[in-house]
Amino acid sequence: MTKVLIVDDHAVLRMGLSLILETTPDFEAAGFAENGRVGLAQVEALQPDLVLCDIRMPEMDGIEMIRQLHQTHPNLPVVVLTTFDDPEPIQQAMRLGARGYLLKDADKETIVNTLKQALVGTVSLSPELMTKAFAQPESAISLTPREHEILQQVAQGARNIDVAQKLHLSERTIKAHLTSIYNRLGVESRAEAVAAALKLGLID
């Protein structure tokens, strides 16, 4: 059973998300928090498998919560759920390692699919949010065949060591290729690279 911690300052939304999880096989709402500060405490107390959090909350917002979780629980998947589609928080959340970004009006199927993808390490960002967050001219960006091959593996959740073993390369070589990919796409993290490449149609 996948335990999900719901962090949002609106009680009605927390109840709605809880209902979605409780009516979905293999998911349960492990706990709730009304802001990032309480959310961090709940992560320690409940040890959830995934965190679903809002961006804008009182006392401590979602960005700061994700930043601290990235330091203390780097492997804990975080999916951001918000009504705001401003590109800056999208970029911040993805840069800090969030694995998904959903608008609060997303339907049950979209929410559940995004959570499932986050659990296996796949980054999920809706086409509308990709367009807002990574509005770069497609004609100016391209990847080499090797970079494409590596990023395709990363998009499927493979770690550097997994990619290195599959392609018979060293981890150092994989890291060098990823640095080149980041520079080409104008991003700073694996999550951003995958989201930008998907938006630009550079990977499947």
Side-chain angles (χ1 to χ4, degrees), residues 117 122-123 130 143 147-157 193-204:
Q117 290 179 42
T122 303
V123 177
M130 284 184 192
L143 299 176
E147 288 170 347
H148 176 274
E149 191 174 23
I150 290 172
L151 192 55
Q152 189 74 57
Q153 293 294 317
V154 170
Q156 294 170 1
V194 170
L198 286 170
K199 184 262 174 181
L200 295 171
L202 298 176
I203 59 174
D204 300 326

Side-chain angles (χ1 to χ4, degrees), residues 31-194:
F32 308 93
E34 63 272 21
N35 58 55
R37 180 182 57 77
V38 177
L40 291 173
Q42 289 287 68
V43 167
E44 298 300 332
L46 302 174
Q47 297 294 306
D49 301 303
L50 184 147
V51 174
L52 182 59
C53 76
D54 191 9
I55 284 286
R56 303 195 180 181
M57 298 178 289
E59 295 192 42
M60 180 185 290
D61 63 18
I63 295 299
E64 180 58 29
M65 179 183 175
I66 296 171
R67 180 178 290 110
Q68 294 193 32
L69 284 177
H70 184 67
Q71 298 297 321
T72 59
H73 298 76
N75 297 319
L76 179 62
V78 178
V79 172
V80 174
L81 183 68
T82 181
T83 56
F84 299 93
D85 57 358
D86 176 55
E88 180 58 26
I90 299 174
Q91 294 169 355
Q92 286 183 300
M94 300 306 287
R95 189 175 299 122
L96 291 169
R99 295 187 188 170
Y101 200 109
L102 287 165
L103 293 178
K104 287 186 178 180
D105 59 0
D107 58 27
K108 176 180 178 178
E109 181 180 5
T110 300
I111 293 173
V112 172
N113 285 340
T114 298
L115 298 185
K116 288 180 177 179
Q117 290 179 42
L119 287 169
V120 298
T122 303
V123 177
S124 179
L125 196 65
S126 72
E128 313 89 66
L129 293 175
M130 284 184 192
T131 299
K132 288 180 178 294
F134 303 102
Q136 303 183 55
E138 294 188 31
S139 60
I141 300 195
S142 63
L143 299 176
T144 67
R146 178 62 84 186
E147 288 170 347
H148 176 274
E149 191 174 23
I150 290 172
L151 192 55
Q152 189 74 57
Q153 293 294 317
V154 170
Q156 294 170 1
R159 301 169 300 168
N160 286 356
I161 188 172
D162 300 325
V163 180
Q165 290 175 350
K166 183 168 185 177
L167 301 182
H168 305 291
L169 299 170
S170 69
E171 281 192 74
R172 179 175 296 182
T173 299
I174 298 301
K175 290 178 181 178
H177 278 299
L178 285 172
T179 298
S180 175
I181 291 169
Y182 297 166
N183 291 335
R184 288 177 186 273
L185 298 176
V187 300
E188 299 180 13
S189 70
R190 296 162 70 91
E192 285 186 303
V194 170

